[in-house]
Structures are given as structure tokens and as C-alpha cells.
Amino acid sequence: MKNLKTSHYSSMIKSICFASCLLICNTAVQAQNSELQNVHTAIQLATDSLYESLVEIRRDIHQHPELSGEEKRTSEFIYQYLSNLGLEVKAGIGGYSVIGVLKGKQPGKKIAWRADIDAIPIHNHGAGEAAAKKDEIGHNCGHDVHTAIGLGIANVLAKQKEHIKGTIYFIFQPSEENYKGAKLMIDDGLFNVISPEEIYAAHISPMPAGLIASKPGYLFADYKQINLTFKATEDNNEIADFVKKRVSELQNVAADSKFWDNSSLMDPNIGIGNPNTIFKDFVTVQKHFKVEENDGELKIIGFISASNEESISAIPDQLKAAFKESKYGHLLKDVYYHSNMIGYSTERGNIDNDEQLTLQTINTVANIYGPASAIQLYGIIPDGRGDDFSYFQQQVPGTYFLMGGSNFEKGIIAMPHSPDFSVDESCIKSGVKYFASMLVEQVNKTDESVSLKD
Ligand SMILES: [Zn+2]
Ligand SMILES: [Zn+2]
């Protein structure tokens, strides 16, 4: 996961701990009459007794970070751990991946959990974080935590086999940071080897530990580089000014509005947790453009972000039509999105959560662990970030959760890619419990029980 406007996201999320209680109107409804109630109790007990060992695993991986494509040691550890649990284990699909297959006592649905395992080229200076044994490589995106949680879920669910109708796949994915791993795995036949009907993942975020959140559809704004090319003339400066002005007018958010105020993002009335959020339908344009002239061609480069694909996809054609009509129409060559912008390839797409599964799973966790454990978001975070989990979502419906890892009282802020990234390790415990319970509920849902509930 990457982020471009770290400070924006960071300070807005800080207020979530104060606002989260206000976001939730419904009261906790304990999962009643559920035949799985005992399983959830068993999951909680097993997680509590496993917790310290998972923290040790996380710290070990933390001290031995491996960059994308180099996750040899990490994957060997995962392979051994899953084998010891008695799972069927497959490795090496599209790189240093490991897949654990947990078959329930009875046949049924097949679902998958994805954890990413690679580190990034940043040294970790986070408070309370043990230094990595390699300079300039660190788990500043929390994939060490994701790995520990994935192993923890596999461990507690391996003990519940007789209550599982179906199969749960644990996908430990390498090379998330360079957005190559998921695609490499798919291209190497992942979905010939396993055939999940649903897929889930969680990413550490600056929300407080103990809280998870998601929403149907997009979570993050789409973010694209737009290129506008003209025949170069002596009027280049005027053309560039004209184009910048016209592109900037696409922004539908006033420069002095609350949209830009960080604290608004988690404001109970206008923030992303409120159905009437102001972060719902927006287009923003970066102030700074780049202007280049090469071989008689004038190229103006800008950056646009938008809350939905429809708005952002329509923009090049809209601009083309507008410029054709203008006095520079005869000089216009093309208007197009740069397809290979690092991290923002059109092919990879955006995280796009399945509506039904997302609402269902948030409810499941909130019902079992209380309303402060899982909340639904309504707004789009105006931040160009992504995760190549989107490649999996293109093939299998599922949900990408944000998982809180901060503890503001202790000064622990789990801001991915920050040099000061640090994490409240208690999120490993809550993560294992929430997602193990969620997976066991999902895998045991028959088509009948789903349609009855709806
Ligand atoms: Zn990440
Ligand atoms: Zn990352």
C-alpha cells in the first residue's frame, strides 16, 4: 500500500478515536442463536493464548525485512509454520508465495484470506520498534503484522476444522510493494491451483488498534496522470496557461472548503463515516503541472484524482472536445492518461469491494465483537493509494479492510510508509479474532442462509 498525501491522511485519522463512538448508531447485537457462537468463543481463547507467540513472530519478521521479490526467509518460515499446523501447503506460485489450504470436516464454500509479506526500502525509526537487522529496509507498511495475523488466523481455525464446512485458503503474497506479486501469482496459475469464491484482506492503517473499517466499492480516490499534447509553436506559454486553467476548472471542490481540512475526514457529520459525507463525489486537480517540449511537441502533464471511475474516465474525452472547440484546436494532438504511471496502472485498477460481502462481513464482526470493532465507511479517502489486491478482486469478489494499528496515547501512529511507522501490537490479537470469526461465518454460509438473511 502506498500513500501520496501522508500528512493529510494521518491527521484526519487521528480524530477517529474520538469520533468512532459517534459514528455508530446501532447497538451491539450479540450473535444470538448462532451455532457458531461456541466457535467464536474458542477462537478468542485460542488467540489469547497464541498472542505472545504471534508478537514474537512479528518481531522476528520485523528484524529480518525482505524487499519485494526477495522474501525467501519470510516465505520459508511461513511454509514451516503452516506445515506444522497440518495444512496442505503450496509454495512458489509467481515468486516467494506460500498458500495454506485448510479443509473443513465437510465440503462447502471456498474462501481466501490474503496477507502480503514484503518490506520497503525505508529504515524504521518508529517509537518502540526494534531496528531491522538490515539498513535501509524496513517493515514500514506493516506487512510483518499482516503475516503474523495471517498465521494466527490459520492457527486458530486449524483447531476448528470440525466446525468448518468448506475450505479456507491462506494466500501469503510476495511483492505487493511493487504491485507485481498478485499479478505474477495469477499469471502463474494461482486460480488453477485454488478456486476461492470470496477473497479478503486487511491493511494496517492509522486508525486506533481494535477498529476495522471498510466500505462497498472504492475506498480510495482514483488517481491518474493526464497528458495533454499540442503541436509546439511560439505560443507555448499561452497554450500551457490556457490548458492548466481549463484542467483546474474540473475540480469540484472549493479551495477553501472543509474538504481540505484534515479533521473533516472523521467528522461525525461530514466525514467518511457518515452517509452524508462530503467525501463522496469529488474531482481534484493538483496545482502543479509539468510542461515539456520535445521534437516539436508541447506536453502538459497534470494529476487528477476522483472519487469514482466514471468521472475520471470521462475526463480525457471531455477535455479533448473542449480544446478542439478552442482557439488552439488546430494544434491539439491528444489528451490521455499515462498508462504506466508507477503504482497507478490502469490495468491494476482500484480496490473495489463487493457490496454484499462487505456489508455482511462488517456486520458479522460488529455483532460478535461490538459496534466499536467494525464500522462502515461511506466516503472515499481522497488519497491516491492502492494495493495490488485489486488484481484478485478483479477475479474474485471480496473485501479489503482497513485495520487500525495506532495508539495515540502512547504516540504510536501506524502510518504506512512513514519513517516513524510504529504499531500497537494488540491489533494482532484483535485482527486474528475478528477475521478468524468473520472467515468461519463466511465459509459456513450456504447460498440458502445468505438469501434468507437478505
Ligand atoms: Zn502495505
Ligand atoms: Zn506499502
Side-chain angles (χ1 to χ4, degrees), residues 45 61 81 83 111 124 127 159 223 228 265 277 286 306 447:
L45 291 172
I61 297 172
Y81 191 94
S83 301
I111 66 176
N124 195 307
K159 300 183 176 85
Y223 186 83
L228 306 104
L265 262 154
T277 177
Q286 243 177 51
D447 288 342

Side-chain angles (χ1 to χ4, degrees), residues 108-172:
K109 210 196 254 174
K110 294 168 179 163
I111 66 176
W113 177 262
R114 193 250 10 208
D116 43 10
I117 65 173
D118 52 332
I120 55 174
I122 298 181
H123 190 68
N124 195 307
H125 300 288
E129 298 288 304
K133 290 192 165 48
K134 294 176 189 170
D135 285 342
E136 305 311 326
I137 303 179
H139 267 294
N140 298 37
C141 204
H143 298 190
D144 49 349
V145 175
H146 304 172
T147 304
I149 289 176
L151 294 173
I153 299 171
N155 190 321
V156 300
L157 290 184
K159 300 183 176 85
Q160 299 300 323
K161 267 184 205 165
E162 66 221 62
H163 302 291
I164 292 172
K165 292 181 197 130
T167 303
I168 302 175
Y169 304 113
F170 296 92
I171 302 171
F172 290 87

Side-chain angles (χ1 to χ4, degrees), residues 44-45 57 81 84 86 91 95 120 127 155 203 213 218 224 282 302 332 362 380-381 386 389 401 417 421 439 441:
Q44 290 162 47
L45 291 172
I57 289 170
Y81 191 94
N84 292 346
I120 55 174
N155 190 321
H203 203 292
Y218 285 177
K224 291 192 193 313
F282 59 84
L332 176 70
I362 292 170
I380 305 281
I381 297 168
F389 183 69
F401 294 92
H417 289 225
F421 176 89
L439 289 170
E441 287 280 343

Side-chain angles (χ1 to χ4, degrees), residues 2 65-72 96 117-121 137 139 143 173-181 184 388:
K2 308 245 190 302
E66 294 173 303
L67 291 174
S68 307
E70 299 173 8
E71 309 90 340
K72 188 169 184 291
Y96 287 115
I117 65 173
D118 52 332
I120 55 174
I137 303 179
H139 267 294
H143 298 190
Q173 183 209 307
S175 300
E176 188 284 325
E177 290 295 347
N178 59 11
Y179 296 123
K180 287 183 179 167
L184 283 170
D388 70 352

